[in-house]
Amino acid sequence: MDKMDTHTTSQRYLSTRGGSYGMQFEEVVLKGLASDGGLFIPEEIPSLPSDWAERWRCLSFVDLAYEVLSLYISPSEIPSEDLKDIIQNSYSTFRHPDIVPLYPLSPSQNLHLLELFHGPTFAFKDVALQFLGNLFEYFLVRRNASSDEHSRHHLTVIGATSGDTGSAAIYGLRGKKDVSVFILHPKGRVSPVQEAQMTTVLDANVHNIAVEGTFDDCQDLVKALFADPGANKAHNLAAVNSINWARILAQTTYYFHAYFSLTNSASFKKGDKIRFVVPTGNFGDILAGYFAQRMGLPIEKLVVATNENDILDRFWKTGYYEKHPVHGRKAEGGFVEDGAKAHEDGAKETLSPAMDILVSSNFERLLWFLVYQTSNKESTVSCREAAGAQVREWLGKLKSNGGFGVPTYILDAAKVDFESERVSDQETIETIKAFYTASTSDTPPQSNGHLRSHSDSASSAAPQSAKYILDPHTAIGIATSLRSIARTAPSHTHHIALATAHPAKFASAVQLALGEADGFNFETEVLPEEFVGLEKRQRRVRNVGRGEGTAGMRKLIGEEIEAENS
């Protein structure tokens, strides 16, 4: 029997640029990036079982994750019981019993908040990276079962971070045997808490690299390393950024969990519609929602919420995907107070640094599906080849010309499932203020930890006078939600905004918004006990200048791994 006869089409993978087909899940996870520079996607998105709505309705997050993930992972690669164990271990580290609870932020507007920050590093990326870390470990243990110390399979995990990916990856991989993890962050462009969370982890297999430049510079270095055959051969590289398919897959689960949390509640009526609003930088989080929707989850719209680095919003407004705004005032959003826009030589620094990204890597995956689903080719194979060729052409133009435009029919197809908004720093501040100082008459008691230590019992409730404190990225999602509510029928449409991080990770933005609010105290209302004294702990980090390039990074990685193993 051919090894792929045991896989459905949704358990086989291809590259968005057409250079790889018929890949297994394990290969895709360990490679991260395809050899042609493309990203891995399933050959087909699976349809949900006919009885999914009833059978999955009351499942726990862990059990729901198994049902969703097993549609994409053949049991011939990971037996069912092993997959269940990996999932259970991944989410046993979360502080909330529901893993990702749904909070009714404004019941009269049917506005809900999906809290994704209850993992070890207080950010949504824990949901994917705890799972990915355990996947790496599972595959390596199996590969090394009969190896001696000199022939063991060793993985060098490389990632770029604009803030939360780094600490989440480090916490998912620290101390794991046969894995070295290198995280590149833009020096001085992540929050102090994020930097401390990364650099105070002193495990021998953890290596923090501070790069002079922006997140895009870090991401370009990572992509260049993966495209370098010498680096791959020498160090056996694996990806931890959302270019790794396993991260997108893991995040798909919480769209289903949120759906059931809402539809099982008294506030949801038959016939009501659901919109998900997602603060978006690299396009991975909202792409997970797109996969859930394509599987059959009834999502009316996925709403992209960007900050002033608005390449995605400009795409949905104009059909042009450009590093710098070229095609008109409408594409810029018209916010006079914003100052400099994102431009070709760097992203604008904002109060939501995890979204300060010039080019959204995962957008390539959506482009492939948009071409594939609108193709008029006769066979499935021809449609796939046409999609790969078109994506390859567009990405080539992005690299050489700084952007590209898509035909009207592609933009129209993108607008079927998505809307977009752009939110300024000033609006971000105003939104944080509004939800802290708002009347409590419409706000239920808070029990999510924004105003108390996360070590408190999950069942305890804050006083009725508690106010909700948003982090700046989540505030962008809320501001976007309010605009969407204004143009829909709120009595029949529910908005679920994704809360991507705990506000304590962005102390400066929260202090700027609430510092003059009556009675506000950051230490008592926001700061979790896990963060107390974090900035005073010993750190380990290496600095890299702008001119180091791929050769310099290869040399650094070699030196660090040699020191790690000495």
Side-chain angles (χ1 to χ4, degrees):
M1 179 184 290
D2 184 274
K3 68 177 182 178
M4 298 306 286
D5 289 344
T6 58
H7 293 61
T8 66
T9 53
S10 64
Q11 295 167 345
R12 298 194 298 262
Y13 295 87
L14 55 81
S15 166
T16 52
R17 301 189 192 180
S20 300
Y21 291 92
M23 303 286 287
Q24 295 189 80
F25 181 72
E26 180 174 352
E27 295 175 284
V28 165
V29 171
L30 294 180
K31 281 179 67 69
L33 192 68
S35 56
D36 61 358
L39 306 183
F40 290 115
I41 51 175
E43 291 184 359
E44 297 288 344
I45 298 176
S47 297
L48 295 173
S50 59
D51 61 347
W52 74 275
E54 184 58 34
R55 186 162 60 85
W56 295 3
R57 187 169 65 89
C58 296
L59 294 181
S60 67
F61 182 89
V62 167
D63 291 338
L64 190 56
Y66 170 76
E67 297 291 343
V68 174
L69 271 55
S70 61
L71 296 176
Y72 293 90
I73 304 170
S74 171
S76 67
E77 290 195 67
I78 305 180
S80 296
E81 290 305 312
D82 289 355
L83 181 58
K84 289 178 181 178
D85 287 344
I86 291 170
I87 294 168
Q88 179 63 51
N89 292 338
S90 299
Y91 301 116
S92 65
T93 58
F94 281 62
R95 294 177 301 278
H96 197 286
D98 291 336
I99 313 300
V100 289
L102 188 68
Y103 177 74
L105 186 65
S106 180
S108 67
Q109 296 174 296
N110 284 330
L111 176 57
H112 314 267
L113 206 56
L114 182 61
E115 296 181 341
L116 303 175
F117 50 76
H118 293 283
T121 70
F122 296 75
F124 82 97
K125 295 177 181 181
D126 287 322
V127 177
L129 285 164
Q130 287 291 303
F131 176 67
L132 181 58
N134 285 320
L135 276 180
F136 282 147
E137 184 175 49
Y138 177 84
F139 291 140
L140 288 172
V141 166
R142 185 164 66 187
R143 289 187 175 204
N144 290 326
S146 58
S147 301
D148 58 32
E149 285 301 315
H150 301 291
S151 61
R152 297 184 70 82
H153 188 89
H154 182 274
L155 210 58
T156 302
V157 175
I158 308 285
T161 186
S162 55
D164 288 330
T165 291
S167 56
I170 287 167
Y171 277 66
L173 292 166
R174 63 186 300 182
K176 291 193 182 297
K177 191 174 178 62
D178 299 314
V179 179
S180 299
V181 55
F182 288 80
I183 298 298
L184 285 65
H185 71 268
K187 186 176 181 180
R189 294 197 179 198
V190 298
S191 79
V193 168
Q194 289 173 318
E195 183 178 346
Q197 281 187 310
M198 292 187 287
T199 58
T200 58
V201 176
L202 304 180
D203 296 65
N205 72 322
V206 172
H207 309 275
N208 281 286
I209 314 297
V211 177
E212 293 283 353
T214 66
F215 168 75
D216 293 277
D217 295 319
C218 297
Q219 189 158 249
D220 287 346
L221 272 174
V222 169
K223 288 182 177 179
L225 285 166
F226 278 100
D228 181 347
N232 274 279
K233 183 177 181 180
H235 301 300
N236 198 22
L237 302 184
V240 75
N241 282 81
S242 56
I243 58 174
N244 194 307
W245 163 247
R247 280 193 51 184
I248 306 299
L249 178 57
Q251 290 171 182
T252 303
T253 299
Y254 51 66
Y255 286 88
F256 286 91
H257 190 268
Y259 170 83
F260 286 118
S261 295
L262 177 57
T263 57
N264 287 337
S265 72
S267 67
F268 189 85
K269 304 297 187 293
K270 186 177 180 180
D272 284 358
K273 298 176 180 178
I274 301 175
R275 290 182 163 215
F276 280 89
V277 183
V278 187
T280 305
N282 223 12
F283 204 71
D285 206 2
I286 198 165
L287 185 71
Y290 174 75
F291 277 95
Q293 183 190 52
R294 288 286 304 276
M295 291 169 70
L297 190 67
I299 300 172
E300 191 219 5
K301 267 322 177 195
L302 293 158
V303 187
V304 175
T306 77
N307 66 11
E308 296 160 29
N309 296 295
D310 57 357
I311 186 171
L312 292 167
D313 184 57
R314 286 185 279 114
F315 170 81
W316 264 277
K317 297 289 194 298
T318 69
Y320 288 90
Y321 189 73
E322 301 167 321
K323 291 182 180 180
H324 58 296
V326 171
H327 287 83
R329 183 69 170 176
K330 182 179 179 183
E332 296 184 35
F335 295 110
V336 178
E337 69 275 20
D338 289 355
K341 301 292 190 295
H343 51 88
E344 195 159 4
D345 61 353
K348 176 176 170 56
E349 293 184 52
T350 73
L351 296 174
S352 46
M355 295 159 61
D356 289 348
I357 295 172
L358 206 58
V359 174
S360 302
S361 290
N362 281 291
F363 191 60
E364 179 175 337
R365 285 178 161 123
L366 176 65
L367 288 172
W368 190 95
F369 280 105
L370 293 176
V371 177
Y372 176 69
Q373 73 189 38
T374 57
S375 175
N376 58 8
K377 301 293 184 182
E378 292 185 359
S379 70
T380 297
V381 171
S382 296
C383 288
R384 289 173 182 164
E385 290 174 346
Q390 183 61 79
V391 168
R392 194 163 59 247
E393 177 187 328
W394 283 336
L395 271 292
K397 288 182 178 179
L398 179 66
K399 184 174 182 179
S400 61
N401 302 333
F404 59 87
V406 301
T408 301
Y409 69 88
I410 293 291
L411 180 59
D412 290 342
K415 288 181 175 179
V416 170
D417 299 320
F418 293 88
E419 291 180 359
S420 75
E421 294 288 348
R422 174 184 183 277
V423 177
S424 70
D425 270 356
Q426 184 59 42
E427 289 171 306
T428 301
I429 290 297
E430 290 170 357
T431 303
I432 295 172
K433 285 181 180 178
F435 279 85
Y436 181 75
T437 59
S439 166
T440 59
S441 60
D442 188 44
T443 305
Q446 186 166 334
S447 60
N448 52 45
H450 273 73
L451 304 184
R452 309 185 310 282
S453 163
H454 274 272
S455 61
D456 290 354
S457 167
S459 62
S460 64
Q464 285 286 344
S465 59
K467 315 288 180 67
Y468 205 104
I469 301 175
L470 302 167
D471 95 281
H473 306 78
T474 305
I476 288 172
I478 295 301
T480 295
S481 298
L482 296 176
R483 293 184 199 171
S484 179
I485 288 169
R487 61 178 178 263
T488 59
S491 59
H492 302 292
T493 304
H494 292 260
H495 284 74
I496 298 176
L498 273 55
T500 55
H502 190 285
K505 301 195 78 169
F506 303 96
S508 296
V510 172
Q511 194 66 42
L512 180 62
L514 303 179
E516 296 181 3
D518 186 34
F520 175 73
N521 185 295
F522 184 86
E523 283 71 25
T524 59
E525 293 188 72
V526 183
L527 194 68
E529 68 177 36
E530 290 91 336
F531 289 6
V532 175
L534 187 63
E535 72 284 355
K536 297 178 182 178
R537 297 178 190 169
Q538 181 183 349
R539 304 186 184 206
R540 191 175 76 242
V541 60
R542 282 190 65 168
N543 296 315
V544 169
R546 281 183 181 271
E548 291 289 337
T550 310
M553 280 302 304
R554 281 182 60 181
K555 181 173 181 292
L556 182 150
I557 290 169
E559 292 171 353
E560 289 286 315
I561 291 178
E562 184 177 350
E564 175 187 332
N565 295 327
S566 62

